[in-house]
Structures are given as structure tokens and as C-alpha cells.
Amino acid sequence: MISLSREYPSVFGQPVIRAVDPAIFGYRYFTHCMSCGFCKDQCCSYGVDIDVENVARIEALGPDFEAHVGVPRSKWFTRQRWTDPEFPGGAQARTRVKGGACVFLDRKQRGCKIHSYCLANGIDYHTLKPLVSILFPLTFEGGALVASGELEDKSLVCVDQGPCVYDGLREELAYYFGDAFVAELDSLRASRAA
């Protein structure tokens, strides 16, 4: 683990990244998810962790969103909430699984129905799509930016195909943690290559 020069809070205040696992510069994955013809949306099989503030934003959407999802809003999220200081609002829930995949998976056209709703309605997807989902296969743990377990154990069907996970998610990391954050990570990556 490499300690960073300072703390980098996300645009939501949490999580705060203080260190990075250099493995994120080496692991590779198929970055262009919607162009994939072989994974069958495997990474959407289990649902996703979501902060409680985001749950509230999604649940506040109108009946047009519920119609878009095609599942009653009472079946979108687990009832259980977990205290987690790394998540915005200090707690998290999970999206439910229906028929072997996240309730928000578009089984006809592929991809996330939250994401497609945002695009169709001119909404920045960062405000509604779960942070953990957007950053996958990176995640945060104990103040560190790390590779998801699916990269480490190679259970992610698209592992070792495409660019390194950092390159694939660099723009998303800049959105959440700022340009100074990615500049520091760019510098760390360059020093490791030298």
C-alpha cells in the first residue's frame, strides 16, 4: 500500500482516500462494458452496495422511473442497513437481486437501468448510479483505493483483457476525487514504470 501526500475526500465527503494499492496499475479488465459480447453481465449478478443518501435520491424519483425499472420500488433495495463510515451518509444498503441479477439490470438491452434513465433524461448518472458500481472493479477499503476481489482472484470474466484498471477508471476517479488525486496517481504510476 502506498500512502498518498494528503487525504482526498470524494465529492460526497465520503469515502476519503489516503492510500492506494499499486496493483491497480497492473490489473487489466475489459473497460468498455457495453461493447462486451461475452460476459452476460456477470458483474451485475449480486446486486451492489449503495449509500443510504443515494437510496433516498432514487426512491424520490417519480413513477416514470419505476415504470422504467419495471419492478415495484418496494423491491429495489434490501431493508437492512449497515453502518459504514466510508459511505456517504455513514451507512449503506444493497440493491436487491431478482432472477439472478441486480434488480436494476436491463435484461433486454443490457446495462444498468439507473444509468440508461439518467442518459435519457439528461441527468448526470453520478448523482443516481451507485458509486461502488461506477468504480467497479476498483473499490475503497479502510481509506485505500484497491482492486476489487474479483480482479485479485480472477473470477471477473473479463480480467486480463484491455487496459489497466486505473486507466479504465481514471476519468471516474477524477470526477469523484478531483484532478489533484489523479495527478498524484499518475505520478505514482510513472515512478513505478521508471
Side-chain angles (χ1 to χ4, degrees):
M1 209 59 67
I2 300 171
S3 294
L4 299 175
S5 64
R6 67 178 183 89
E7 294 185 341
Y8 293 95
S10 80
V11 295
F12 303 119
Q14 295 295 337
V16 176
I17 304 298
R18 295 180 284 283
V20 63
D21 182 349
I24 71 168
F25 304 122
Y27 285 120
R28 296 180 308 116
Y29 80 114
F30 192 87
T31 307
H32 305 288
C33 183
M34 294 305 290
S35 298
C36 169
F38 57 86
C39 77
K40 299 180 175 54
D41 298 305
Q42 178 198 24
C43 59
C44 297
S45 299
Y46 310 103
V48 67
D49 295 334
I50 181 169
D51 65 87
V52 293
E53 292 178 350
N54 199 13
V55 168
R57 286 191 299 272
I58 292 171
E59 287 180 335
L61 294 171
D64 62 323
F65 180 71
E66 188 168 8
H68 179 74
V69 173
V71 174
R73 68 181 60 241
S74 63
K75 305 229 186 255
W76 294 347
F77 304 105
T78 60
R79 294 190 193 284
Q80 186 177 8
R81 303 295 190 255
W82 300 270
T83 300
D84 189 331
E86 286 198 285
F87 275 72
Q92 63 168 297
R94 247 184 116 65
T95 63
R96 288 192 181 195
V97 172
K98 177 184 177 202
C102 177
V103 70
F104 294 109
L105 175 65
D106 187 330
R107 288 159 171 83
K108 293 179 184 168
Q109 298 180 20
R110 296 199 53 227
C112 175
K113 286 190 175 188
I114 298 171
H115 196 119
S116 64
Y117 178 84
C118 289
L119 294 178
N121 291 280
I123 301 168
D124 181 353
Y125 65 88
H126 296 99
T127 63
L128 295 176
K129 190 171 179 182
L131 168 69
V132 172
S133 179
I134 293 172
L135 292 182
F136 187 80
L138 289 179
T139 193
F140 46 91
E141 186 176 286
L145 182 67
V146 298
S148 297
E150 294 88 344
L151 282 175
E152 293 177 347
D153 67 14
K154 298 198 179 267
S155 63
L156 184 65
V157 72
C158 65
V159 70
D160 295 332
Q161 301 180 50
C164 83
V165 67
Y166 171 68
D167 288 342
L169 291 166
R170 188 178 181 278
E171 288 182 34
E172 299 295 1
L173 292 168
Y175 173 87
Y176 286 114
F177 300 100
D179 292 335
F181 178 72
V182 294
E184 183 165 354
L185 294 187
D186 287 347
S187 179
L188 285 173
R189 182 177 186 202
S191 69
R192 291 181 50 77

